[in-house]
Every structure is written in C-alpha cells, then in structure tokens.
PDB file of all heavy atoms in Angstrom:
ATOM      1  N   SER A   1     -24.252  60.924 -70.150  1.00  0.00           N
ATOM      2  CA  SER A   1     -25.306  60.281 -69.343  1.00  0.00           C
ATOM      3  C   SER A   1     -24.714  59.888 -67.957  1.00  0.00           C
ATOM      4  O   SER A   1     -23.515  59.650 -67.800  1.00  0.00           O
ATOM      5  CB  SER A   1     -25.892  58.985 -70.018  1.00  0.00           C
ATOM      6  OG  SER A   1     -24.961  57.954 -70.068  1.00  0.00           O
ATOM      7  N   VAL A   2     -25.653  59.810 -66.993  1.00  0.00           N
ATOM      8  CA  VAL A   2     -25.291  59.479 -65.682  1.00  0.00           C
ATOM      9  C   VAL A   2     -26.354  58.599 -64.995  1.00  0.00           C
ATOM     10  O   VAL A   2     -27.526  58.848 -65.286  1.00  0.00           O
ATOM     11  CB  VAL A   2     -25.015  60.758 -64.801  1.00  0.00           C
ATOM     12  CG1 VAL A   2     -26.193  61.733 -64.833  1.00  0.00           C
ATOM     13  CG2 VAL A   2     -24.667  60.421 -63.338  1.00  0.00           C
ATOM     14  N   ILE A   3     -25.963  57.679 -64.212  1.00  0.00           N
ATOM     15  CA  ILE A   3     -26.801  56.749 -63.474  1.00  0.00           C
ATOM     16  C   ILE A   3     -26.256  56.746 -62.062  1.00  0.00           C
ATOM     17  O   ILE A   3     -25.137  56.240 -61.792  1.00  0.00           O
ATOM     18  CB  ILE A   3     -26.903  55.317 -64.098  1.00  0.00           C
ATOM     19  CG1 ILE A   3     -27.454  55.400 -65.468  1.00  0.00           C
ATOM     20  CG2 ILE A   3     -27.695  54.409 -63.122  1.00  0.00           C
ATOM     21  CD1 ILE A   3     -27.435  54.049 -66.188  1.00  0.00           C
ATOM     22  N   TYR A   4     -27.063  57.189 -61.149  1.00  0.00           N
ATOM     23  CA  TYR A   4     -26.602  57.273 -59.729  1.00  0.00           C
ATOM     24  C   TYR A   4     -27.341  56.274 -58.870  1.00  0.00           C
ATOM     25  O   TYR A   4     -28.641  56.296 -58.820  1.00  0.00           O
ATOM     26  CB  TYR A   4     -26.717  58.684 -59.163  1.00  0.00           C
ATOM     27  CG  TYR A   4     -26.400  58.866 -57.709  1.00  0.00           C
ATOM     28  CD1 TYR A   4     -25.171  58.281 -57.252  1.00  0.00           C
ATOM     29  CD2 TYR A   4     -27.161  59.612 -56.849  1.00  0.00           C
ATOM     30  CE1 TYR A   4     -24.871  58.419 -55.860  1.00  0.00           C
ATOM     31  CE2 TYR A   4     -26.816  59.761 -55.537  1.00  0.00           C
ATOM     32  CZ  TYR A   4     -25.652  59.207 -55.018  1.00  0.00           C
ATOM     33  OH  TYR A   4     -25.318  59.383 -53.752  1.00  0.00           O
ATOM     34  N   ASP A   5     -26.675  55.451 -58.145  1.00  0.00           N
ATOM     35  CA  ASP A   5     -27.203  54.500 -57.206  1.00  0.00           C
ATOM     36  C   ASP A   5     -26.938  55.007 -55.806  1.00  0.00           C
ATOM     37  O   ASP A   5     -25.807  54.727 -55.335  1.00  0.00           O
ATOM     38  CB  ASP A   5     -26.584  53.066 -57.460  1.00  0.00           C
ATOM     39  CG  ASP A   5     -27.129  52.011 -56.497  1.00  0.00           C
ATOM     40  OD1 ASP A   5     -27.882  52.308 -55.589  1.00  0.00           O
ATOM     41  OD2 ASP A   5     -26.712  50.905 -56.604  1.00  0.00           O
ATOM     42  N   PRO A   6     -27.812  55.679 -55.147  1.00  0.00           N
ATOM     43  CA  PRO A   6     -27.573  56.256 -53.829  1.00  0.00           C
ATOM     44  C   PRO A   6     -27.233  55.167 -52.756  1.00  0.00           C
ATOM     45  O   PRO A   6     -26.377  55.418 -51.883  1.00  0.00           O
ATOM     46  CB  PRO A   6     -28.782  57.043 -53.490  1.00  0.00           C
ATOM     47  CG  PRO A   6     -29.481  57.269 -54.830  1.00  0.00           C
ATOM     48  CD  PRO A   6     -29.140  56.114 -55.646  1.00  0.00           C
ATOM     49  N   LEU A   7     -27.855  54.003 -52.781  1.00  0.00           N
ATOM     50  CA  LEU A   7     -27.667  53.066 -51.743  1.00  0.00           C
ATOM     51  C   LEU A   7     -26.154  52.495 -51.793  1.00  0.00           C
ATOM     52  O   LEU A   7     -25.607  52.232 -50.737  1.00  0.00           O
ATOM     53  CB  LEU A   7     -28.636  51.832 -51.965  1.00  0.00           C
ATOM     54  CG  LEU A   7     -29.975  52.114 -51.471  1.00  0.00           C
ATOM     55  CD1 LEU A   7     -30.986  50.962 -51.886  1.00  0.00           C
ATOM     56  CD2 LEU A   7     -30.033  52.188 -49.877  1.00  0.00           C
ATOM     57  N   ALA A   8     -25.644  52.424 -52.995  1.00  0.00           N
ATOM     58  CA  ALA A   8     -24.234  51.913 -53.151  1.00  0.00           C
ATOM     59  C   ALA A   8     -23.288  53.045 -53.153  1.00  0.00           C
ATOM     60  O   ALA A   8     -22.048  52.756 -53.183  1.00  0.00           O
ATOM     61  CB  ALA A   8     -24.136  51.037 -54.323  1.00  0.00           C
ATOM     62  N   ASN A   9     -23.706  54.300 -53.274  1.00  0.00           N
ATOM     63  CA  ASN A   9     -22.907  55.403 -53.452  1.00  0.00           C
ATOM     64  C   ASN A   9     -22.044  55.231 -54.686  1.00  0.00           C
ATOM     65  O   ASN A   9     -20.767  55.516 -54.724  1.00  0.00           O
ATOM     66  CB  ASN A   9     -21.997  55.728 -52.247  1.00  0.00           C
ATOM     67  CG  ASN A   9     -21.248  57.093 -52.366  1.00  0.00           C
ATOM     68  OD1 ASN A   9     -21.755  57.978 -52.959  1.00  0.00           O
ATOM     69  ND2 ASN A   9     -20.093  57.160 -51.750  1.00  0.00           N
ATOM     70  N   GLU A  10     -22.614  54.805 -55.845  1.00  0.00           N
ATOM     71  CA  GLU A  10     -21.949  54.547 -56.990  1.00  0.00           C
ATOM     72  C   GLU A  10     -22.576  55.468 -58.149  1.00  0.00           C
ATOM     73  O   GLU A  10     -23.782  55.425 -58.400  1.00  0.00           O
ATOM     74  CB  GLU A  10     -22.015  53.127 -57.421  1.00  0.00           C
ATOM     75  CG  GLU A  10     -21.193  52.241 -56.524  1.00  0.00           C
ATOM     76  CD  GLU A  10     -21.235  50.720 -57.004  1.00  0.00           C
ATOM     77  OE1 GLU A  10     -22.165  50.294 -57.685  1.00  0.00           O
ATOM     78  OE2 GLU A  10     -20.234  50.059 -56.585  1.00  0.00           O
ATOM     79  N   MET A  11     -21.764  56.263 -58.818  1.00  0.00           N
ATOM     80  CA  MET A  11     -22.122  57.177 -59.813  1.00  0.00           C
ATOM     81  C   MET A  11     -21.433  56.683 -61.149  1.00  0.00           C
ATOM     82  O   MET A  11     -20.252  56.784 -61.313  1.00  0.00           O
ATOM     83  CB  MET A  11     -21.610  58.589 -59.480  1.00  0.00           C
ATOM     84  CG  MET A  11     -22.003  59.685 -60.452  1.00  0.00           C
ATOM     85  SD  MET A  11     -23.758  60.251 -60.235  1.00  0.00           S
ATOM     86  CE  MET A  11     -23.476  61.229 -58.745  1.00  0.00           C
ATOM     87  N   PHE A  12     -22.323  56.148 -62.013  1.00  0.00           N
ATOM     88  CA  PHE A  12     -21.815  55.709 -63.366  1.00  0.00           C
ATOM     89  C   PHE A  12     -22.036  56.831 -64.378  1.00  0.00           C
ATOM     90  O   PHE A  12     -23.179  57.352 -64.367  1.00  0.00           O
ATOM     91  CB  PHE A  12     -22.586  54.436 -63.753  1.00  0.00           C
ATOM     92  CG  PHE A  12     -22.437  53.270 -62.868  1.00  0.00           C
ATOM     93  CD1 PHE A  12     -23.268  53.015 -61.752  1.00  0.00           C
ATOM     94  CD2 PHE A  12     -21.424  52.363 -63.096  1.00  0.00           C
ATOM     95  CE1 PHE A  12     -23.089  52.019 -60.901  1.00  0.00           C
ATOM     96  CE2 PHE A  12     -21.223  51.209 -62.250  1.00  0.00           C
ATOM     97  CZ  PHE A  12     -22.111  51.081 -61.176  1.00  0.00           C
ATOM     98  N   TRP A  13     -21.082  57.071 -65.144  1.00  0.00           N
ATOM     99  CA  TRP A  13     -21.310  58.222 -66.098  1.00  0.00           C
ATOM    100  C   TRP A  13     -20.362  58.082 -67.330  1.00  0.00           C
ATOM    101  O   TRP A  13     -19.384  57.274 -67.206  1.00  0.00           O
ATOM    102  CB  TRP A  13     -21.062  59.633 -65.455  1.00  0.00           C
ATOM    103  CG  TRP A  13     -19.690  59.764 -64.838  1.00  0.00           C
ATOM    104  CD1 TRP A  13     -19.235  59.343 -63.603  1.00  0.00           C
ATOM    105  CD2 TRP A  13     -18.598  60.478 -65.457  1.00  0.00           C
ATOM    106  NE1 TRP A  13     -17.909  59.795 -63.372  1.00  0.00           N
ATOM    107  CE2 TRP A  13     -17.505  60.371 -64.527  1.00  0.00           C
ATOM    108  CE3 TRP A  13     -18.434  61.028 -66.663  1.00  0.00           C
ATOM    109  CZ2 TRP A  13     -16.296  60.963 -64.725  1.00  0.00           C
ATOM    110  CZ3 TRP A  13     -17.142  61.628 -66.977  1.00  0.00           C
ATOM    111  CH2 TRP A  13     -16.124  61.568 -65.958  1.00  0.00           C
ATOM    112  N   ALA A  14     -20.734  58.648 -68.396  1.00  0.00           N
ATOM    113  CA  ALA A  14     -19.969  58.575 -69.658  1.00  0.00           C
ATOM    114  C   ALA A  14     -20.198  59.763 -70.499  1.00  0.00           C
ATOM    115  O   ALA A  14     -21.315  60.344 -70.529  1.00  0.00           O
ATOM    116  CB  ALA A  14     -20.293  57.294 -70.347  1.00  0.00           C
ATOM    117  N   LYS A  15     -19.269  60.152 -71.306  1.00  0.00           N
ATOM    118  CA  LYS A  15     -19.409  61.157 -72.377  1.00  0.00           C
ATOM    119  C   LYS A  15     -19.012  60.513 -73.620  1.00  0.00           C
ATOM    120  O   LYS A  15     -17.986  59.791 -73.697  1.00  0.00           O
ATOM    121  CB  LYS A  15     -18.516  62.393 -72.027  1.00  0.00           C
ATOM    122  CG  LYS A  15     -18.817  63.503 -73.051  1.00  0.00           C
ATOM    123  CD  LYS A  15     -17.977  64.743 -72.841  1.00  0.00           C
ATOM    124  CE  LYS A  15     -18.268  65.828 -73.880  1.00  0.00           C
ATOM    125  NZ  LYS A  15     -17.360  67.048 -73.687  1.00  0.00           N
ATOM    126  N   ASP A  16     -19.684  60.776 -74.660  1.00  0.00           N
ATOM    127  CA  ASP A  16     -19.486  60.126 -75.986  1.00  0.00           C
ATOM    128  C   ASP A  16     -18.069  60.353 -76.409  1.00  0.00           C
ATOM    129  O   ASP A  16     -17.573  61.504 -76.515  1.00  0.00           O
ATOM    130  CB  ASP A  16     -20.441  60.681 -76.966  1.00  0.00           C
ATOM    131  CG  ASP A  16     -20.348  60.018 -78.336  1.00  0.00           C
ATOM    132  OD1 ASP A  16     -20.241  58.822 -78.302  1.00  0.00           O
ATOM    133  OD2 ASP A  16     -20.610  60.683 -79.382  1.00  0.00           O
ATOM    134  N   GLY A  17     -17.362  59.228 -76.652  1.00  0.00           N
ATOM    135  CA  GLY A  17     -15.989  59.233 -77.151  1.00  0.00           C
ATOM    136  C   GLY A  17     -14.923  59.440 -76.067  1.00  0.00           C
ATOM    137  O   GLY A  17     -13.771  59.481 -76.443  1.00  0.00           O
ATOM    138  N   GLU A  18     -15.371  59.562 -74.794  1.00  0.00           N
ATOM    139  CA  GLU A  18     -14.355  59.833 -73.743  1.00  0.00           C
ATOM    140  C   GLU A  18     -14.318  58.884 -72.648  1.00  0.00           C
ATOM    141  O   GLU A  18     -13.746  59.070 -71.624  1.00  0.00           O
ATOM    142  CB  GLU A  18     -14.618  61.279 -73.251  1.00  0.00           C
ATOM    143  CG  GLU A  18     -14.477  62.350 -74.342  1.00  0.00           C
ATOM    144  CD  GLU A  18     -14.675  63.732 -73.750  1.00  0.00           C
ATOM    145  OE1 GLU A  18     -14.535  63.945 -72.483  1.00  0.00           O
ATOM    146  OE2 GLU A  18     -14.798  64.702 -74.519  1.00  0.00           O
ATOM    147  N   GLY A  19     -14.960  57.690 -72.806  1.00  0.00           N
ATOM    148  CA  GLY A  19     -14.879  56.646 -71.823  1.00  0.00           C
ATOM    149  C   GLY A  19     -15.985  56.684 -70.790  1.00  0.00           C
ATOM    150  O   GLY A  19     -16.826  57.544 -70.848  1.00  0.00           O
ATOM    151  N   ALA A  20     -16.082  55.574 -70.011  1.00  0.00           N
ATOM    152  CA  ALA A  20     -17.096  55.406 -68.972  1.00  0.00           C
ATOM    153  C   ALA A  20     -16.445  55.193 -67.610  1.00  0.00           C
ATOM    154  O   ALA A  20     -15.331  54.699 -67.492  1.00  0.00           O
ATOM    155  CB  ALA A  20     -17.941  54.221 -69.379  1.00  0.00           C
ATOM    156  N   PHE A  21     -17.141  55.746 -66.621  1.00  0.00           N
ATOM    157  CA  PHE A  21     -16.573  55.769 -65.290  1.00  0.00           C
ATOM    158  C   PHE A  21     -17.600  55.386 -64.259  1.00  0.00           C
ATOM    159  O   PHE A  21     -18.728  55.613 -64.416  1.00  0.00           O
ATOM    160  CB  PHE A  21     -15.913  57.111 -65.027  1.00  0.00           C
ATOM    161  CG  PHE A  21     -14.895  57.573 -65.987  1.00  0.00           C
ATOM    162  CD1 PHE A  21     -15.298  58.159 -67.161  1.00  0.00           C
ATOM    163  CD2 PHE A  21     -13.572  57.396 -65.758  1.00  0.00           C
ATOM    164  CE1 PHE A  21     -14.380  58.579 -68.074  1.00  0.00           C
ATOM    165  CE2 PHE A  21     -12.668  57.785 -66.688  1.00  0.00           C
ATOM    166  CZ  PHE A  21     -12.967  58.325 -67.861  1.00  0.00           C
ATOM    167  N   MET A  22     -17.031  54.833 -63.116  1.00  0.00           N
ATOM    168  CA  MET A  22     -17.836  54.653 -61.895  1.00  0.00           C
ATOM    169  C   MET A  22     -17.100  55.473 -60.777  1.00  0.00           C
ATOM    170  O   MET A  22     -15.976  55.080 -60.437  1.00  0.00           O
ATOM    171  CB  MET A  22     -18.000  53.212 -61.516  1.00  0.00           C
ATOM    172  CG  MET A  22     -19.034  53.003 -60.384  1.00  0.00           C
ATOM    173  SD  MET A  22     -18.337  53.096 -58.767  1.00  0.00           S
ATOM    174  CE  MET A  22     -17.354  51.622 -58.701  1.00  0.00           C
ATOM    175  N   ASN A  23     -17.780  56.547 -60.290  1.00  0.00           N
ATOM    176  CA  ASN A  23     -17.103  57.496 -59.502  1.00  0.00           C
ATOM    177  C   ASN A  23     -15.857  58.012 -60.272  1.00  0.00           C
ATOM    178  O   ASN A  23     -15.981  58.639 -61.317  1.00  0.00           O
ATOM    179  CB  ASN A  23     -16.809  56.914 -58.142  1.00  0.00           C
ATOM    180  CG  ASN A  23     -18.113  56.605 -57.414  1.00  0.00           C
ATOM    181  OD1 ASN A  23     -19.201  57.164 -57.683  1.00  0.00           O
ATOM    182  ND2 ASN A  23     -18.013  55.718 -56.376  1.00  0.00           N
ATOM    183  N   ASP A  24     -14.665  57.744 -59.794  1.00  0.00           N
ATOM    184  CA  ASP A  24     -13.457  58.188 -60.567  1.00  0.00           C
ATOM    185  C   ASP A  24     -12.718  57.018 -61.217  1.00  0.00           C
ATOM    186  O   ASP A  24     -11.640  57.264 -61.755  1.00  0.00           O
ATOM    187  CB  ASP A  24     -12.503  58.884 -59.596  1.00  0.00           C
ATOM    188  CG  ASP A  24     -13.071  60.194 -59.002  1.00  0.00           C
ATOM    189  OD1 ASP A  24     -13.753  60.907 -59.697  1.00  0.00           O
ATOM    190  OD2 ASP A  24     -12.836  60.461 -57.878  1.00  0.00           O
ATOM    191  N   LYS A  25     -13.318  55.846 -61.236  1.00  0.00           N
ATOM    192  CA  LYS A  25     -12.655  54.658 -61.838  1.00  0.00           C
ATOM    193  C   LYS A  25     -13.145  54.436 -63.245  1.00  0.00           C
ATOM    194  O   LYS A  25     -14.341  54.340 -63.465  1.00  0.00           O
ATOM    195  CB  LYS A  25     -12.925  53.418 -60.951  1.00  0.00           C
ATOM    196  CG  LYS A  25     -12.323  52.162 -61.482  1.00  0.00           C
ATOM    197  CD  LYS A  25     -12.673  50.947 -60.619  1.00  0.00           C
ATOM    198  CE  LYS A  25     -12.099  49.654 -61.173  1.00  0.00           C
ATOM    199  NZ  LYS A  25     -12.606  48.494 -60.289  1.00  0.00           N
ATOM    200  N   GLU A  26     -12.187  54.192 -64.115  1.00  0.00           N
ATOM    201  CA  GLU A  26     -12.653  53.920 -65.555  1.00  0.00           C
ATOM    202  C   GLU A  26     -13.160  52.551 -65.578  1.00  0.00           C
ATOM    203  O   GLU A  26     -12.606  51.605 -65.012  1.00  0.00           O
ATOM    204  CB  GLU A  26     -11.459  54.094 -66.550  1.00  0.00           C
ATOM    205  CG  GLU A  26     -11.865  54.040 -67.979  1.00  0.00           C
ATOM    206  CD  GLU A  26     -10.796  54.403 -68.956  1.00  0.00           C
ATOM    207  OE1 GLU A  26      -9.654  54.640 -68.452  1.00  0.00           O
ATOM    208  OE2 GLU A  26     -11.076  54.446 -70.062  1.00  0.00           O
ATOM    209  N   LEU A  27     -14.210  52.342 -66.384  1.00  0.00           N
ATOM    210  CA  LEU A  27     -14.934  51.100 -66.480  1.00  0.00           C
ATOM    211  C   LEU A  27     -14.421  50.288 -67.683  1.00  0.00           C
ATOM    212  O   LEU A  27     -14.229  50.820 -68.797  1.00  0.00           O
ATOM    213  CB  LEU A  27     -16.424  51.219 -66.571  1.00  0.00           C
ATOM    214  CG  LEU A  27     -17.094  51.908 -65.364  1.00  0.00           C
ATOM    215  CD1 LEU A  27     -18.516  52.214 -65.616  1.00  0.00           C
ATOM    216  CD2 LEU A  27     -16.892  51.039 -64.088  1.00  0.00           C
ATOM    217  N   LYS A  28     -14.352  49.023 -67.561  1.00  0.00           N
ATOM    218  CA  LYS A  28     -14.077  48.087 -68.658  1.00  0.00           C
ATOM    219  C   LYS A  28     -14.925  46.837 -68.499  1.00  0.00           C
ATOM    220  O   LYS A  28     -15.153  46.410 -67.438  1.00  0.00           O
ATOM    221  CB  LYS A  28     -12.596  47.610 -68.685  1.00  0.00           C
ATOM    222  CG  LYS A  28     -11.639  48.757 -68.979  1.00  0.00           C
ATOM    223  CD  LYS A  28     -11.827  49.394 -70.352  1.00  0.00           C
ATOM    224  CE  LYS A  28     -10.927  50.494 -70.582  1.00  0.00           C
ATOM    225  NZ  LYS A  28     -11.170  51.141 -71.937  1.00  0.00           N
ATOM    226  N   ILE A  29     -15.434  46.365 -69.644  1.00  0.00           N
ATOM    227  CA  ILE A  29     -16.338  45.180 -69.591  1.00  0.00           C
ATOM    228  C   ILE A  29     -15.548  43.887 -69.183  1.00  0.00           C
ATOM    229  O   ILE A  29     -14.296  43.883 -69.246  1.00  0.00           O
ATOM    230  CB  ILE A  29     -16.979  44.991 -71.004  1.00  0.00           C
ATOM    231  CG1 ILE A  29     -15.934  44.889 -72.071  1.00  0.00           C
ATOM    232  CG2 ILE A  29     -17.886  46.182 -71.328  1.00  0.00           C
ATOM    233  CD1 ILE A  29     -16.540  44.482 -73.402  1.00  0.00           C
ATOM    234  N   SER A  30     -16.340  42.866 -68.942  1.00  0.00           N
ATOM    235  CA  SER A  30     -15.727  41.559 -68.646  1.00  0.00           C
ATOM    236  C   SER A  30     -15.001  40.981 -69.845  1.00  0.00           C
ATOM    237  O   SER A  30     -15.339  41.261 -70.953  1.00  0.00           O
ATOM    238  CB  SER A  30     -16.853  40.563 -68.154  1.00  0.00           C
ATOM    239  OG  SER A  30     -16.492  39.309 -68.171  1.00  0.00           O
ATOM    240  N   ASN A  31     -14.045  40.156 -69.581  1.00  0.00           N
ATOM    241  CA  ASN A  31     -13.380  39.364 -70.679  1.00  0.00           C
ATOM    242  C   ASN A  31     -13.613  37.877 -70.525  1.00  0.00           C
ATOM    243  O   ASN A  31     -12.715  37.105 -71.046  1.00  0.00           O
ATOM    244  CB  ASN A  31     -11.861  39.778 -70.715  1.00  0.00           C
ATOM    245  CG  ASN A  31     -11.165  39.395 -69.365  1.00  0.00           C
ATOM    246  OD1 ASN A  31     -11.718  38.799 -68.510  1.00  0.00           O
ATOM    247  ND2 ASN A  31      -9.882  39.806 -69.281  1.00  0.00           N
ATOM    248  N   LYS A  32     -14.588  37.443 -69.913  1.00  0.00           N
ATOM    249  CA  LYS A  32     -14.945  35.968 -69.782  1.00  0.00           C
ATOM    250  C   LYS A  32     -15.141  35.382 -71.154  1.00  0.00           C
ATOM    251  O   LYS A  32     -15.547  35.990 -72.073  1.00  0.00           O
ATOM    252  CB  LYS A  32     -16.189  35.770 -68.947  1.00  0.00           C
ATOM    253  CG  LYS A  32     -16.106  36.232 -67.486  1.00  0.00           C
ATOM    254  CD  LYS A  32     -17.459  36.032 -66.828  1.00  0.00           C
ATOM    255  CE  LYS A  32     -17.496  36.565 -65.370  1.00  0.00           C
ATOM    256  NZ  LYS A  32     -18.825  36.462 -64.795  1.00  0.00           N
TER     257      LYS A  32
END
C-alpha cells in the first residue's frame, strides 16, 4: 500500500512483512 501527500511531498508505503517507510526512511511508532 501507498499513501502520497503531495503538499508535504511525503510518500508513505509498506509491503507485507517488509516494513513501512516514508520516502526512504523506515517508520517506527511512538514509544510514549
């Protein structure tokens, strides 16, 4: 799946079992 926010130039994407990314940066949830 992919979600593209053109205004922020941010491309969020993921493949099942292979992690999630924003552009080329791997995403991790908050630890609050």
Side-chain angles (χ1 to χ4, degrees):
S1 69
V2 52
I3 295 173
Y4 177 44
D5 178 358
L7 281 171
N9 190 30
E10 292 183 334
M11 182 82 72
F12 299 89
W13 58 277
K15 186 179 178 187
D16 187 35
E18 297 186 15
F21 301 84
M22 190 274 289
N23 297 339
D24 294 324
K25 178 184 177 182
E26 187 170 7
L27 296 175
K28 294 297 179 184
I29 56 174
S30 165
N31 59 7
K32 295 177 188 174

